[in-house]
Amino acid sequence: MSFFDKFVFLEFGNHGSYRDLRSIKNSKGRMDMNILKISLLLMAVFLMCAGLTLSSVKGEKENNAVNTLIVDVDLGKDTISKHIYGHFSEHLGRCIYAGYWVGEDSALPNTRGIRNDIVEALRKIKIPVLRWPGGCFADEYQWKDGIGPKQNRPTMINTHWGGVTENNHFGTHEFLDLCGQLDCEPYICGNVGSGTVGEMQEWVEYITFDGVSPMADLRRLNGRAKPWKLRFFGIGNENWGCGGSMRPEFYADLYRRYQTYVRNFSGNRVYKIACGSYNENYHWTDVLMREAGRMMNGLSFHYYTVPGGWGNKNSATDFGEPEWFDTLKKALLVEEYITRHSTIMDRYDPEKQVGLIVDEWGTWYEVEPGTNPSFLYQQNSLRDALVAGLTLNIFNSHCERVKMANIAQTINVLQAVILTKDEKMILTPTYHVFDMYKVHQDATLLPSQLNCGEYEFKKEGIPSISVSASRDRDGKIHISLCNLDPKKSQEIRCELRDFTPQTVIGQILTADDMTTHNTFDEPERITPAPFKKAQIKNSTVLTSLPPKSVVVLEID
Ligand code: AHR
């Protein structure tokens, strides 16, 4: 029996069945044609109303369905490493040159050649760590070409990124100066693909050795008396691809060899990061962990959200709901990848001593029209804010294994947090998410159980809400929430176990249009605003997330 049949039967059940109605229609008895017409009319009106009522009930249910969230305040044990909020900057397009680096002689306000406005903006979001010099560039980089008087530094061809000439004016000293100005930790990626073990050993010695040695003396000659601290060091990048097209067995052996010579000098202790996998390449992770797991502190992982696919990536700003849905669906995949790579790591490292280091992630679209295709310059919209918000929620939630993540790439490349045009600089929606989420840095993850409806599009569905929660050192609870649905608001009832909330405040990032982005003429089209739609009732936090929004609540 169809829904419609059932409905008619229910209505006529006690007085006459559907079959009865047919007999009425055929009746030649006392009921004349007028009565029949009236009956039919009434029935049509009734059915129409019933249909409307049903559909509106259905609609109401969808709009007003209350999603539930339980946050176990008493069960937090893992720390969300602040390094999850890290960045990646490569010698690529306008990330370094015309990004951070303008040179000492620039008319733009700078400190030893590094733009002051950029430093200020990145300090505001508490950038904890910066990865450099690549990326693919790292496995071609000759570090010795980037030290000493600038006029004497040899040039090289940046073969991966447009074949442009690299003048090496931004090298080791400039990078470590930048990290000092940013007050963040450096993460240097060494050259395995085309560099020697000796060169890698000497680089670490040059940076960290306090005593008398050829490299330490050379550093002093170049103006730096004291060694720097260098904790994070990567042994190659994407060595399955641009870093040498290696098989995992071969790279695992190379890793074992190279890492041997990455020494701990003068009290500096290096956290060694092996080149890891990407997407669903689980074999690489398995081999690396099996052959070299005991010799590494971290294993990297790369995941890019590429809507449309590599052959036909979407525009960063010219898109509709199909691309919105596709992008968020693909961004969510990182959770499955992290879980599965982590499960493989568990086999060899059940104590989770080896960190999963997601040192490249972000959206990858077609470049902005008219720009060099090799420079990977793209705009950044509200959609990117949602990608950042949900991705950081996933990293937070897996902080027992994910110890660092680095968005690609800080300035003017891929999912940048800052875009520059000559003296102008804009902060992207992704920047604002990093700003709002900085409260999670080094806070304790609070396990949360979300029960939410789906955001459905063309017969496919993804969860409508993404969440993570933490408690900071002052006892404040922060819940970051994303409503992935671009059309419907989401009501949430949040129970905080073992905690009685007194106050709730928040910030929201949203806009009327899903493509909204900041431009050099209108740099503040989309910025965070105070969020008012959260309240406490009977010790429960009730909130309503507007469509396509990122919200961070602070609960005391
Ligand atoms: O971030 C751009 C490039 O993407 C990096 O150089 C490389 O590691 C990755 O394939």
Side-chain angles (χ1 to χ4, degrees):
M1 186 185 271
S2 71
F3 171 78
F4 184 76
D5 292 338
K6 203 156 131 199
F7 190 74
V8 171
F9 178 73
L10 283 178
E11 172 54 22
F12 289 95
N14 291 333
H15 313 287
S17 68
Y18 181 54
R19 222 180 304 118
D20 294 330
L21 181 67
R22 264 196 323 207
S23 65
I24 290 170
K25 202 175 163 192
N26 293 335
S27 158
K28 302 238 189 280
R30 284 189 297 143
M31 190 176 281
D32 62 30
M33 274 310 278
N34 284 343
I35 295 178
L36 180 62
K37 274 184 194 160
I38 290 168
S39 300
L40 284 172
L41 194 71
L42 278 175
M43 192 180 84
V45 170
F46 172 79
L47 289 176
M48 244 174 65
C49 291
L52 276 179
T53 313
L54 272 178
S55 61
S56 70
V57 164
K58 196 168 170 251
E60 250 174 46
K61 219 175 167 191
E62 280 167 2
N63 287 332
N64 294 338
V66 176
N67 306 285
T68 56
L69 174 65
I70 298 172
V71 178
D72 286 307
V73 181
D74 50 331
L75 295 184
K77 62 177 174 49
D78 296 313
T79 300
I80 298 173
S81 167
K82 65 177 178 184
H83 297 114
I84 283 178
Y85 291 82
H87 288 254
F88 164 47
S89 293
E90 180 169 9
H91 287 239
L92 192 179
R94 296 188 303 113
C95 186
I96 302 292
Y97 302 107
Y100 297 100
W101 181 255
V102 286
E104 294 94 335
D105 301 331
S106 169
L108 296 183
N110 70 84
T111 302
R112 295 179 292 280
I114 295 163
R115 265 181 90 146
N116 293 346
D117 52 357
I118 287 180
V119 168
E120 196 187 325
L122 292 176
R123 283 179 72 103
K124 180 166 183 280
I125 57 172
K126 292 190 192 298
I127 176 175
V129 59
L130 182 59
R131 177 176 185 249
W132 173 86
C136 297
F137 182 78
D139 282 281
E140 265 190 331
Y141 184 57
Q142 300 297 322
W143 72 268
K144 283 186 188 161
D145 292 348
I147 55 172
K150 294 201 174 60
Q151 68 277 10
N152 297 341
R153 296 185 190 179
T155 61
M156 68 177 280
I157 307 168
N158 191 334
T159 58
H160 289 289
W161 308 116
V164 296
T165 301
E166 159 70 52
N167 65 16
N168 275 311
H169 283 190
F170 189 92
T172 302
H173 288 249
E174 291 74 22
F175 171 65
L176 292 166
D177 185 20
L178 169 63
C179 291
Q181 293 187 37
L182 293 172
D183 196 20
C184 78
E185 282 193 72
Y187 167 13
I188 288 183
C189 186
N191 179 347
V192 172
S194 70
T196 67
V197 188
E199 284 160 359
M200 187 178 284
Q201 177 176 21
E202 285 182 333
W203 200 4
V204 176
E205 178 188 324
Y206 183 91
I207 295 170
T208 62
F209 189 58
D210 203 8
V212 174
S213 82
M215 289 303 111
D217 292 346
L218 183 59
R219 183 191 70 234
R220 289 186 195 100
L221 196 68
N222 288 330
R224 173 82 187 192
K226 284 266 141 227
W228 289 276
K229 282 284 176 219
L230 175 64
R231 180 153 51 142
F232 301 113
F233 196 85
I235 319 287
N237 167 77
E238 295 194 354
N239 301 97
W240 36 261
C242 66
S245 307
M246 302 175 197
R247 292 175 304 110
E249 294 79 5
F250 182 73
Y251 171 75
D253 278 346
L254 274 191
Y255 172 80
R256 292 166 65 110
R257 179 171 172 229
Y258 274 65
Q259 67 80 34
T260 306
Y261 299 92
V262 173
R263 306 286 189 197
N264 290 323
F265 291 117
S266 312
N268 183 71
R269 290 201 70 77
V270 179
Y271 182 100
K272 297 173 186 173
I273 300 170
C275 164
S277 188
Y278 61 96
N279 299 17
E280 65 277 84
N281 184 350
Y282 301 113
H283 179 57
W284 183 278
T285 300
D286 191 47
V287 173
L288 261 288
M289 288 302 294
R290 190 184 69 217
E291 303 299 336
R294 295 177 320 283
M295 298 178 189
M296 63 179 76
N297 302 107
L299 181 64
S300 72
F301 173 71
H302 290 180
Y303 180 61
Y304 284 100
T305 298
V306 190
W310 288 108
N312 180 25
K313 304 181 288 293
N314 289 175
S315 154
T317 51
D318 185 11
F319 62 88
E321 193 170 353
E323 293 82 11
W324 170 277
F325 183 85
D326 184 41
T327 306
L328 298 187
K329 189 179 82 175
K330 285 188 171 143
L332 285 166
L333 279 178
V334 78
E335 175 136 48
E336 180 186 327
Y337 296 143
I338 287 175
T339 307
R340 297 181 71 165
H341 283 286
S342 189
T343 305
I344 293 168
M345 292 171 81
D346 285 347
R347 248 187 249 154
Y348 305 95
D349 172 36
E351 302 293 323
K352 300 194 192 321
Q353 304 286 321
V354 179
L356 188 61
I357 308 295
V358 190
D359 56 19
E360 290 188 27
W361 68 273
T363 50
W364 194 318
Y365 308 118
E366 295 295 340
V367 298
E368 286 303 299
T371 65
N372 187 329
S374 301
F375 284 9
L376 312 185
Y377 175 71
Q378 65 190 39
Q379 250 292 0
N380 194 292
S381 74
L382 175 59
R383 175 175 58 166
D384 296 274
L386 269 297
V387 171
L390 75 84
T391 304
L392 291 169
N393 281 341
I394 291 169
F395 294 161
N396 287 348
S397 303
H398 289 269
C399 68
E400 84 293 351
R401 180 63 90 177
V402 177
K403 298 297 177 193
M404 188 197 293
N406 309 75
I407 191 168
Q409 302 192 1
T410 327
I411 306 167
N412 293 330
V413 171
L414 300 177
Q415 193 175 350
V417 296
I418 292 175
L419 301 177
T420 65
K421 186 177 174 193
D422 304 322
E423 79 290 354
K424 291 187 180 169
M425 176 190 97
I426 54 176
L427 306 175
T428 65
T430 299
Y431 173 94
H432 294 305
V433 171
F434 272 76
D435 196 19
M436 291 162 67
Y437 274 50
K438 68 187 175 198
V439 289
H440 288 306
Q441 290 192 20
D442 280 343
T444 304
L445 176 75
L446 300 180
S448 9
Q449 301 147 49
L450 173 70
N451 192 349
C452 74
E454 291 218 314
Y455 157 35
E456 283 169 14
F457 183 74
K458 298 221 165 127
K459 296 188 183 147
E460 282 193 274
I462 56 176
S464 55
I465 300 170
S466 150
V467 68
S468 69
S470 71
R471 193 170 196 187
D472 70 12
R473 288 193 183 118
D474 300 327
K476 286 196 173 87
I477 293 171
H478 294 102
I479 306 182
S480 43
L481 296 149
C482 304
N483 180 0
L484 310 190
D485 195 315
K487 292 190 188 130
K488 289 181 195 148
S489 57
Q490 301 293 335
E491 318 299 317
I492 305 176
R493 179 188 295 274
C494 171
E495 184 193 328
L496 298 156
R497 295 237 166 111
D498 205 33
F499 187 84
T500 310
Q502 306 295 331
T503 61
V504 56
I505 54 173
Q507 272 197 308
I508 181 167
L509 188 71
T510 188
D512 289 340
D513 195 287
M514 58 171 80
T515 65
T516 304
H517 54 280
N518 293 328
T519 67
F520 293 100
D521 293 329
E522 285 183 85
E524 303 213 332
R525 268 196 204 155
I526 167 163
T527 54
F531 180 64
K532 303 274 165 51
K533 288 185 170 175
Q535 51 167 311
I536 298 166
K537 232 178 184 175
N538 302 328
S539 296
T540 299
V541 178
L542 304 176
T543 187
S544 172
L545 303 180
K548 50 179 162 35
S549 63
V550 180
V551 167
V552 176
L553 300 178
E554 179 174 300
I555 302 164
D556 249 325

